[in-house]
Amino acid sequence: MAYKTIIGLEIHTELMTKTKMFCSCTNAFGGEANTHCCPVCLGLPGALPVINKVAIEYAIKSGIAFNCKINTHTRMDRKNYFYSDLVKGYQISQDDLPLCEGGYIEIESEEGTKKVHLERIHIEEDTGKQTHTTEGDTLIDYNRAGVPLIEIVTKPEMNTPEEARLFLENLRATLKYIEVSDCKMEEGSLRCDVNINIVDTETGNKTNITEIKNLNSFRGAVRAMEYEEKRHIELLQKGENTIKETRRWDEVKGETITMRTKGDVADYRYAADGDLAEIVIEDSRIEEIKNNLPELPHHKKERFISDYDLSEYDAGVLTASKELALFFEETIKYIDDSKLVSNWIMGDVLRRLKDEEIEIQDTKLTPKALGELINIVKDGKINNNTGKKVLKEIFDTGKEPETIIKEQGLVQISDEGALKEIVSKVLDENEQSIIDYKNGKDRAIGFLVGQIMKASKGKANPQMVNKMLIEMINER
Amino acid sequence: MDITKLSAFEMRKKISKKEISSKELITAHFNRIEEVEKDINAFITLNKEEALKSAEKVDEKIVKGEQIGLLAGLPIGIKDNIVTKDLRTTCGSKMLENFIPPYDATVVTRIKEADGIIIGKTNMDEFAMGSSTETSYFGPTKNPIDTERVPGGSSGGSAAAVKSNEVALALGTDTGGSIRQPAAYCDIVGIKPSYGIVSRYGTVSMANTLDQVGVFGRDVKDAVFMLSAITGYDKKDSTSFNNPEGTIIFGSFPEEIDYRDYLKGMKIGIPREFTYEGMDSRINEEIKKSIKIFESLGAEIEEISLPHIEYGLAAYYIISTSEISSNLARFDGVRYGYRAKEYNTLDELYTNSRTEAFGEEVKRRIMLGTYSLSRGYAEDHYKKALKVRTLIKNDFDKAFSKYDIILSPTCPILPFKLGEKAKNPLAMYMGDLFTVPVNLAGLCAMSIPCGYVEGLPVGLQIIGDRLKEANIIKAGLGFEGGVKNGL
């Protein structure tokens, strides 16, 4: 039997405006509970919203970056429902006239480049945040209430959790590139809901859509989708069906749990928010925003391939984050060898970032230091392995490469006389190896090189050692 | 001399000439309140201590020769759905019985900046829903003209306070006639300005696309005086009108002009649709006499037609209740106001709090509105009502392309007895027949006393185009002058 997974995503992203969507309260993460609040964002009786124009601009920027059509006449609607994190009994959102419609994001899936289309991007305000105590109380912090959000809704066009992951990564990179959101999932500034179901491609039978709410990490999202995929297929195999329901992902147990079943479609009684005038956007303003948009990830990738002669894979990795791409481009200002720089970043630098779970901008490594280090290695002042040691030292201490090399006496020994001395001493101590080599055992050379490097504390110039060693054995 | 009987304009003159002090004036009003309040119940909350302090400050300013504001030292009542910092604001509801707002409404800020003295918060129908001030959780207000009768609603407290000289001026709000109808019932002047020229920031929304803050005075000049102090653009209200030309400047209607000159050549339309079967014919007689006065002062009268007016009330009750259902959702017992003592779940917290704290009329309208906005019904009700609203607006636009003002009765019936219509909400709704179209179209209108039937006052409604307050003010001044001069 063959099954096809169908995945659609709804992503909420907080926009990093200075102030909230409808008032002048600060839009800053954290802070003592209920201190970033005023009558407007608390929805106190009599308070009225005034729209934040920067939020609208950020939403337009996002729409342009994702190839959407920007609606020049749009408005805010009220989405009516009761919940204690919602201050007014309605959320100011957009219903049938979203700011952006259509659009797509390209991903590199197993089958090649794939366009995942968007339904829409609309603007709305965030709600407050609830904490449930072990005593059974619910505490509410309204600092987040009224923070501007965009909701990005995709068409159900992703067919594997991996595709969804690629989509999310691309989306996050783009939003960060255009500087509308910091996309910190751990701080809730990027949140994702997944809609997923399975079709039996032979019989046409399919499961009902399950919605998984509020996934707060990409890894969690992928695991939840994989779990659901399996669960739905098992149900299909048993001839059962899922119920249309909303589930949540339990990270600890590694499973999804029913939150609520959707007996009926929720009725939000949408109506235009009469407190806010219609939003009219001039075409010229859209053009202006479009022209001022920074280089987007896929453009940067193409440029890296053509300008720096990098492989598609390397260019993809280097442009996945704006900071990494910037780091690369800064480094090649110090050493005119893009391939070598790419190799260093793709290799040891990324490995260290991964090990320490940090981002490039949070390290002590500067483009200048890396550039100088690569230059020193290229000039043969230290060898490759020593270079790696120095890089680690820079990560730990932030010292200049020259300083580290000086302090630790790491300068490569390229002096013929000095090297000859070391080599002849090692040969004296390993006569058996000389015999072995002369009897045709080539491996003996490797052993001898190792001994020489050891004796020189790794500082011997490897090329010179190799050349010298053969000559000196032959002389014996 | 009983200084509480003076017009606000006279009071202001005497204060600035140091003939009386503000403290003296405010004290006299609190004495008056003590005397009549038990019979009238115009106030929910009094602000005596603060009022006297503020009065002293105004007096100090005058003594020092500092510049004083337009409303300097005058006693003012504020409808209790307009928030006042640190002063209880209840909306006439148990829901907000103990609610102390942390901020001032823009209109309140403007009154304070104009050196007006806030005497207290006036009684009203609960959340401004009603036409008699009988739905107030704090008991009904009584009509100073006949205390067995209602003062009208929902700004009945403000109207009664002005009529009984408890304050000189008062603020009300008008969503479908809530300033004009009580003005008519209490025999005073009430102005509902064009939508957007007075900030709604800090006014607790009933139906936010219809609500408008407006004023009461014992004559046209007083009402305009008050209106001048509160109009103007407010960046905190997105629906506020940003055009200084729309602002009423009191000085633009100088005293020197003879009342007869205001009406000369004014073109007036009388809609034939503003008479209907259920109407008290004695009111019609008074209106006809009033029209004669306009005519004798040089106005040109013509009958006109507003064909969609008859659907106004139906559209109004759908649109207003829909907005009410949304606007009143924030009163959920979670953050402020009344919270039920007993509940097990979050849903029960909402349900019990709202069940226990909202009155019958509020619940009725929330239910109606929730139904009208519901999936499957919104097309037939809410959206259709919005279309009717546009048709009514078009009718008025057409009329105002030819006429300066439109005249009608303010109400089809006389002030009724307390309890008389309480059991018949539909009959009560009919009382707003002539006033609601004005709100649907965002126009300005004034109710002005125009006669009596068996000792009960009749109000004449003068309707003007959006932002054409000048026209209704001229008409009001001209007509009032005519009446005073025995025409």
Side-chain angles (χ1 to χ4, degrees), chain A residues 66-87:
Chain A
F66 297 136
N67 317 294
C68 304
K69 170 181 165 249
I70 312 294
N71 284 322
T72 52
H73 288 72
T74 181
R75 59 148 199 271
M76 301 307 296
D77 297 298
R78 291 182 179 184
K79 181 181 180 179
N80 295 285
Y81 67 96
F82 283 97
Y83 203 60
S84 43
D85 63 6
L86 189 66
V87 292

mmCIF file of all heavy atoms in Angstrom, chain A residues 66-87:
data_model
loop_
_atom_site.group_PDB
_atom_site.id
_atom_site.type_symbol
_atom_site.label_atom_id
_atom_site.label_comp_id
_atom_site.label_asym_id
_atom_site.label_seq_id
_atom_site.Cartn_x
_atom_site.Cartn_y
_atom_site.Cartn_z
ATOM 1 N N PHE A 66 7.741 36.864 0.459
ATOM 2 C CA PHE A 66 7.161 35.555 0.144
ATOM 3 C C PHE A 66 6.311 35.596 -1.131
ATOM 4 O O PHE A 66 5.431 34.754 -1.325
ATOM 5 C CB PHE A 66 6.336 35.029 1.326
ATOM 6 C CG PHE A 66 7.161 34.788 2.565
ATOM 7 C CD1 PHE A 66 6.707 35.187 3.814
ATOM 8 C CD2 PHE A 66 8.405 34.182 2.486
ATOM 9 C CE1 PHE A 66 7.470 34.974 4.952
ATOM 10 C CE2 PHE A 66 9.181 33.965 3.617
ATOM 11 C CZ PHE A 66 8.709 34.367 4.851
ATOM 12 N N ASN A 67 6.557 36.603 -1.953
ATOM 13 C CA ASN A 67 5.943 36.675 -3.286
ATOM 14 C C ASN A 67 4.416 36.801 -3.269
ATOM 15 O O ASN A 67 3.730 36.334 -4.177
ATOM 16 C CB ASN A 67 6.321 35.427 -4.115
ATOM 17 C CG ASN A 67 7.786 35.070 -3.966
ATOM 18 O OD1 ASN A 67 8.644 35.824 -4.395
ATOM 19 N ND2 ASN A 67 8.078 33.953 -3.315
ATOM 20 N N CYS A 68 3.875 37.413 -2.213
ATOM 21 C CA CYS A 68 2.413 37.535 -2.108
ATOM 22 C C CYS A 68 1.914 38.755 -2.879
ATOM 23 O O CYS A 68 2.660 39.674 -3.182
ATOM 24 C CB CYS A 68 1.984 37.743 -0.663
ATOM 25 S SG CYS A 68 2.524 36.487 0.481
ATOM 26 N N LYS A 69 0.597 38.746 -3.101
ATOM 27 C CA LYS A 69 -0.076 39.938 -3.610
ATOM 28 C C LYS A 69 -0.444 40.777 -2.381
ATOM 29 O O LYS A 69 -0.993 40.260 -1.410
ATOM 30 C CB LYS A 69 -1.345 39.504 -4.357
ATOM 31 C CG LYS A 69 -2.265 40.630 -4.726
ATOM 32 C CD LYS A 69 -3.512 40.088 -5.432
ATOM 33 C CE LYS A 69 -4.572 41.170 -5.463
ATOM 34 N NZ LYS A 69 -5.713 40.861 -4.592
ATOM 35 N N ILE A 70 -0.120 42.060 -2.423
ATOM 36 C CA ILE A 70 -0.450 42.932 -1.290
ATOM 37 C C ILE A 70 -1.768 43.641 -1.598
ATOM 38 O O ILE A 70 -1.879 44.309 -2.631
ATOM 39 C CB ILE A 70 0.653 43.997 -1.056
ATOM 40 C CG1 ILE A 70 2.057 43.365 -1.044
ATOM 41 C CG2 ILE A 70 0.387 44.788 0.211
ATOM 42 C CD1 ILE A 70 2.356 42.423 0.076
ATOM 43 N N ASN A 71 -2.743 43.467 -0.724
ATOM 44 C CA ASN A 71 -4.030 44.144 -0.930
ATOM 45 C C ASN A 71 -3.924 45.608 -0.507
ATOM 46 O O ASN A 71 -3.568 45.894 0.631
ATOM 47 C CB ASN A 71 -5.135 43.445 -0.145
ATOM 48 C CG ASN A 71 -5.568 42.161 -0.810
ATOM 49 O OD1 ASN A 71 -5.639 42.079 -2.039
ATOM 50 N ND2 ASN A 71 -5.834 41.140 -0.015
ATOM 51 N N THR A 72 -4.246 46.497 -1.423
ATOM 52 C CA THR A 72 -4.080 47.924 -1.108
ATOM 53 C C THR A 72 -5.224 48.474 -0.259
ATOM 54 O O THR A 72 -5.085 49.515 0.357
ATOM 55 C CB THR A 72 -3.973 48.768 -2.399
ATOM 56 O OG1 THR A 72 -5.084 48.431 -3.228
ATOM 57 C CG2 THR A 72 -2.679 48.468 -3.130
ATOM 58 N N HIS A 73 -6.356 47.770 -0.245
ATOM 59 C CA HIS A 73 -7.461 48.170 0.624
ATOM 60 C C HIS A 73 -7.770 47.006 1.551
ATOM 61 O O HIS A 73 -8.239 45.973 1.104
ATOM 62 C CB HIS A 73 -8.704 48.538 -0.187
ATOM 63 C CG HIS A 73 -8.543 49.836 -0.904
ATOM 64 N ND1 HIS A 73 -7.719 49.971 -2.001
ATOM 65 C CD2 HIS A 73 -9.061 51.072 -0.652
ATOM 66 C CE1 HIS A 73 -7.761 51.232 -2.410
ATOM 67 N NE2 HIS A 73 -8.550 51.921 -1.616
ATOM 68 N N THR A 74 -7.490 47.204 2.800
ATOM 69 C CA THR A 74 -7.736 46.116 3.735
ATOM 70 C C THR A 74 -8.285 46.706 5.032
ATOM 71 O O THR A 74 -8.372 47.913 5.174
ATOM 72 C CB THR A 74 -6.442 45.297 3.940
ATOM 73 O OG1 THR A 74 -6.708 44.223 4.834
ATOM 74 C CG2 THR A 74 -5.319 46.133 4.521
ATOM 75 N N ARG A 75 -8.685 45.835 5.950
ATOM 76 C CA ARG A 75 -9.240 46.353 7.198
ATOM 77 C C ARG A 75 -9.016 45.343 8.313
ATOM 78 O O ARG A 75 -8.610 44.204 8.074
ATOM 79 C CB ARG A 75 -10.754 46.623 7.055
ATOM 80 C CG ARG A 75 -11.570 45.407 6.682
ATOM 81 C CD ARG A 75 -12.984 45.413 7.264
ATOM 82 N NE ARG A 75 -13.482 44.056 7.236
ATOM 83 C CZ ARG A 75 -14.129 43.530 6.205
ATOM 84 N NH1 ARG A 75 -14.396 44.238 5.136
ATOM 85 N NH2 ARG A 75 -14.517 42.257 6.258
ATOM 86 N N MET A 76 -9.253 45.783 9.531
ATOM 87 C CA MET A 76 -9.123 44.903 10.682
ATOM 88 C C MET A 76 -10.508 44.420 11.090
ATOM 89 O O MET A 76 -11.483 45.174 11.041
ATOM 90 C CB MET A 76 -8.475 45.634 11.860
ATOM 91 C CG MET A 76 -7.082 46.200 11.583
ATOM 92 S SD MET A 76 -5.874 45.035 10.914
ATOM 93 C CE MET A 76 -5.736 43.862 12.273
ATOM 94 N N ASP A 77 -10.589 43.159 11.462
ATOM 95 C CA ASP A 77 -11.854 42.573 11.901
ATOM 96 C C ASP A 77 -11.740 42.121 13.353
ATOM 97 O O ASP A 77 -10.654 41.974 13.882
ATOM 98 C CB ASP A 77 -12.203 41.358 11.034
ATOM 99 C CG ASP A 77 -12.409 41.734 9.584
ATOM 100 O OD1 ASP A 77 -13.330 42.526 9.322
ATOM 101 O OD2 ASP A 77 -11.650 41.252 8.729
ATOM 102 N N ARG A 78 -12.907 41.884 13.936
ATOM 103 C CA ARG A 78 -12.915 41.323 15.289
ATOM 104 C C ARG A 78 -13.231 39.832 15.210
ATOM 105 O O ARG A 78 -14.180 39.442 14.534
ATOM 106 C CB ARG A 78 -13.990 42.005 16.132
ATOM 107 C CG ARG A 78 -13.686 43.442 16.443
ATOM 108 C CD ARG A 78 -14.791 44.002 17.313
ATOM 109 N NE ARG A 78 -14.532 45.390 17.655
ATOM 110 C CZ ARG A 78 -15.311 46.091 18.477
ATOM 111 N NH1 ARG A 78 -16.369 45.516 19.027
ATOM 112 N NH2 ARG A 78 -15.014 47.347 18.745
ATOM 113 N N LYS A 79 -12.414 39.066 15.907
ATOM 114 C CA LYS A 79 -12.654 37.628 16.006
ATOM 115 C C LYS A 79 -13.141 37.404 17.435
ATOM 116 O O LYS A 79 -12.367 37.532 18.391
ATOM 117 C CB LYS A 79 -11.328 36.909 15.745
ATOM 118 C CG LYS A 79 -11.391 35.415 15.779
ATOM 119 C CD LYS A 79 -9.982 34.852 15.512
ATOM 120 C CE LYS A 79 -10.002 33.335 15.529
ATOM 121 N NZ LYS A 79 -8.660 32.777 15.257
ATOM 122 N N ASN A 80 -14.415 37.125 17.575
ATOM 123 C CA ASN A 80 -15.028 37.070 18.905
ATOM 124 C C ASN A 80 -14.952 35.675 19.527
ATOM 125 O O ASN A 80 -15.433 34.707 18.937
ATOM 126 C CB ASN A 80 -16.503 37.478 18.807
ATOM 127 C CG ASN A 80 -16.690 38.920 18.396
ATOM 128 O OD1 ASN A 80 -16.492 39.838 19.194
ATOM 129 N ND2 ASN A 80 -17.036 39.147 17.143
ATOM 130 N N TYR A 81 -14.338 35.580 20.675
ATOM 131 C CA TYR A 81 -14.386 34.352 21.468
ATOM 132 C C TYR A 81 -13.946 34.666 22.888
ATOM 133 O O TYR A 81 -13.326 35.700 23.139
ATOM 134 C CB TYR A 81 -13.518 33.235 20.857
ATOM 135 C CG TYR A 81 -12.023 33.489 20.866
ATOM 136 C CD1 TYR A 81 -11.215 32.971 21.877
ATOM 137 C CD2 TYR A 81 -11.417 34.232 19.861
ATOM 138 C CE1 TYR A 81 -9.839 33.195 21.887
ATOM 139 C CE2 TYR A 81 -10.047 34.459 19.865
ATOM 140 C CZ TYR A 81 -9.270 33.940 20.880
ATOM 141 O OH TYR A 81 -7.915 34.169 20.883
ATOM 142 N N PHE A 82 -14.310 33.791 23.797
ATOM 143 C CA PHE A 82 -13.964 34.025 25.199
ATOM 144 C C PHE A 82 -12.768 33.186 25.606
ATOM 145 O O PHE A 82 -12.736 31.982 25.394
ATOM 146 C CB PHE A 82 -15.142 33.645 26.113
ATOM 147 C CG PHE A 82 -16.229 34.672 26.127
ATOM 148 C CD1 PHE A 82 -17.346 34.545 25.316
ATOM 149 C CD2 PHE A 82 -16.134 35.771 26.965
ATOM 150 C CE1 PHE A 82 -18.346 35.507 25.332
ATOM 151 C CE2 PHE A 82 -17.132 36.733 26.993
ATOM 152 C CZ PHE A 82 -18.242 36.598 26.172
ATOM 153 N N TYR A 83 -11.755 33.818 26.151
ATOM 154 C CA TYR A 83 -10.672 33.096 26.800
ATOM 155 C C TYR A 83 -9.972 34.077 27.721
ATOM 156 O O TYR A 83 -9.906 35.275 27.422
ATOM 157 C CB TYR A 83 -9.695 32.491 25.776
ATOM 158 C CG TYR A 83 -8.940 31.326 26.364
ATOM 159 C CD1 TYR A 83 -9.637 30.209 26.826
ATOM 160 C CD2 TYR A 83 -7.562 31.361 26.519
ATOM 161 C CE1 TYR A 83 -8.971 29.159 27.419
ATOM 162 C CE2 TYR A 83 -6.878 30.305 27.111
ATOM 163 C CZ TYR A 83 -7.583 29.210 27.566
ATOM 164 O OH TYR A 83 -6.927 28.171 28.154
ATOM 165 N N SER A 84 -9.452 33.584 28.803
ATOM 166 C CA SER A 84 -8.953 34.522 29.817
ATOM 167 C C SER A 84 -7.661 35.233 29.419
ATOM 168 O O SER A 84 -7.312 36.232 30.018
ATOM 169 C CB SER A 84 -8.796 33.820 31.161
ATOM 170 O OG SER A 84 -8.221 32.552 30.977
ATOM 171 N N ASP A 85 -6.953 34.722 28.398
ATOM 172 C CA ASP A 85 -5.767 35.465 27.956
ATOM 173 C C ASP A 85 -6.133 36.550 26.944
ATOM 174 O O ASP A 85 -5.296 37.306 26.491
ATOM 175 C CB ASP A 85 -4.692 34.517 27.377
ATOM 176 C CG ASP A 85 -5.150 33.785 26.129
ATOM 177 O OD1 ASP A 85 -6.259 34.077 25.632
ATOM 178 O OD2 ASP A 85 -4.406 32.926 25.643
ATOM 179 N N LEU A 86 -7.416 36.604 26.596
ATOM 180 C CA LEU A 86 -7.908 37.567 25.602
ATOM 181 C C LEU A 86 -8.631 38.691 26.346
ATOM 182 O O LEU A 86 -9.626 38.447 27.002
ATOM 183 C CB LEU A 86 -8.865 36.840 24.653
ATOM 184 C CG LEU A 86 -9.335 37.583 23.419
ATOM 185 C CD1 LEU A 86 -8.178 37.844 22.477
ATOM 186 C CD2 LEU A 86 -10.398 36.759 22.713
ATOM 187 N N VAL A 87 -8.117 39.919 26.241
ATOM 188 C CA VAL A 87 -8.631 40.957 27.145
ATOM 189 C C VAL A 87 -9.988 41.538 26.751
ATOM 190 O O VAL A 87 -10.756 41.948 27.607
ATOM 191 C CB VAL A 87 -7.630 42.118 27.310
ATOM 192 C CG1 VAL A 87 -6.392 41.663 28.059
ATOM 193 C CG2 VAL A 87 -7.258 42.734 25.978
#
